Amino acid sequence: MTDQSSGELTLRGAAFDVFRNRGRSGVLLGAAVGYLVIVLVVFGAFGLVFARSIGDYFTWAMQMSGDPSAVTMPPASVMTLIPGYILLLLVIYIVLAAYEAAVLRWLVRGETGGFLGFTLGADTWRIYFGYWIWFFVLIGLYVGVFLVAFIAGFAGAQADPGLAAIAGVLAGIIGLCAFLWIGIRLAPASATTVALNRFAFFNAWTVTRGRFWSLFGSFFLLFVLYIVAICVISGLGTSLLLGGTLSRLASQGDKVDPAAAFAMLATPNMIIGMVVLYGAIIVVATVFWNGLLGVNARAAMVAKAEGRIS
């Protein structure tokens, strides 16, 4: 009997729970494709609406880089990018919440619906509201770590100037540990919300009680696998695509012609290869993200089965 069926939460079982057979294939792939399509549409719409402002910004930036001493204000059209960018972020995070809800509904409740699992239903808005809580939690942590580092450095400098740097480093390490601890303790917040079918962000603290190291180990295992996969793909891809080109450019020393270098990098084969390479990186990143959601989903399901949350 595996830990998935026995209701246990183990490092390996949680890390790979997303790959467990749930009786239907292609659900997570469809959600990922839907997310990519929607994001591309959103960015495309942003580019169309603010095409003039974006063009004016790059023109202004190139003028500034050509003569840094000539400090000028950006054109008025560029200023419209600020509210536009804020609106873009709001929409993107709503889409991300819808994607996370689609994945978690399948992993936790075995449900699908909408466009490739995407809906603007209650799960999406609960998760989106949770993002705002994360935002303020992170701000609080940053402020807290900064104050601790400042006070420790000041106290160390008063006692011994040589201790100021050491005190600052120690404060930074303590701050990192605080980020990890609170981050992991609240990591299953969205999964807990979906599992209970109501907003239950802070119930994640109960879900993770006594299971910090199991979850930390699962997250760390996925992170290591992700880094290894990215390094292998990037290394092989760069070597295959740019190996010969970089060698030719290096042989020219300081006499590299920018136009010739651009021509070498802008060939159809090179462009197609780069698209394939970045596509592979996106696939690995998506699998990694779904793996993290799988850990959170497993933690929430086990806690619910144990009666910790209801």
Side-chain angles (χ1 to χ4, degrees):
M1 181 179 293
T2 65
D3 60 291
Q4 286 92 342
S5 60
S6 64
E8 298 175 1
L9 184 67
T10 63
L11 185 154
R12 184 183 63 83
F16 301 114
D17 184 76
V18 71
F19 303 107
R20 179 161 56 91
N21 184 4
R22 289 173 168 83
R24 180 180 169 186
S25 60
V27 174
L28 298 184
L29 175 61
V33 171
Y35 175 71
L36 178 61
V37 169
I38 295 173
V39 167
L40 289 176
V41 170
V42 170
F43 274 102
F46 176 81
L48 288 175
V49 172
F50 294 97
R52 179 183 174 184
S53 300
I54 295 172
D56 291 345
Y57 169 77
F58 279 108
T59 300
W60 172 75
M62 291 178 64
Q63 292 174 347
M64 293 295 295
S65 62
D67 186 7
S69 62
V71 179
T72 60
M73 290 294 294
S77 60
V78 174
M79 303 308 293
T80 62
L81 286 174
I82 297 175
Y85 183 68
I86 294 174
L87 178 62
L88 174 66
L89 286 180
L90 291 174
V91 174
I92 287 297
Y93 274 103
I94 291 173
V95 175
L96 179 61
Y99 173 67
E100 190 171 349
V103 173
L104 289 174
R105 267 197 305 272
W106 174 246
L107 295 181
V108 176
R109 303 203 304 250
E111 297 175 3
T112 61
F115 171 68
L116 298 176
F118 282 75
T119 70
L120 291 178
D123 288 325
T124 295
W125 295 112
R126 290 165 184 156
I127 290 174
Y128 179 71
F129 182 62
Y131 289 168
W132 283 104
I133 295 181
W134 273 116
F135 175 74
F136 289 110
V137 167
L138 290 175
I139 287 179
L141 283 171
Y142 276 118
V143 172
V145 170
F146 173 79
L147 289 177
V148 170
F150 176 79
I151 293 172
F154 180 78
Q158 294 297 313
D160 183 350
L163 294 177
I166 297 176
V169 171
L170 290 177
I173 294 174
I174 294 172
L176 177 61
C177 292
F179 273 103
L180 285 174
W181 184 62
I182 294 176
I184 290 176
R185 289 299 307 272
L186 293 176
S190 295
T192 304
T193 291
V194 172
L196 297 180
N197 206 16
R198 59 180 174 82
F199 185 74
F201 185 95
F202 294 104
N203 288 66
W205 202 264
T206 301
V207 169
T208 57
R209 186 175 59 239
R211 285 176 171 153
F212 173 85
W213 290 111
S214 296
L215 293 172
F216 175 82
S218 298
F219 290 137
F220 183 75
L221 175 60
L222 288 172
F223 180 77
V224 170
L225 293 175
Y226 170 70
I227 293 298
V228 170
I230 290 295
C231 289
V232 170
I233 292 174
S234 300
L236 288 177
T238 303
S239 176
L240 293 174
L241 286 173
L242 301 177
T245 302
L246 293 178
S247 298
R248 290 194 296 272
L249 292 176
S251 64
Q252 297 177 18
D254 297 333
K255 300 180 180 179
V256 176
D257 182 4
F262 178 79
M264 291 181 187
L265 297 174
T267 62
N269 289 340
M270 186 70 69
I271 294 174
I272 294 173
M274 292 301 293
V275 170
V276 172
L277 174 60
Y278 282 110
I281 292 175
I282 290 173
V283 170
V284 172
T286 302
V287 173
F288 170 67
W289 178 248
N290 284 346
L292 297 180
L293 294 179
V295 174
N296 294 330
R298 186 65 195 159
M301 288 188 294
V302 170
K304 187 176 181 180
E306 292 177 344
R308 288 192 180 201
I309 55 175
S310 60

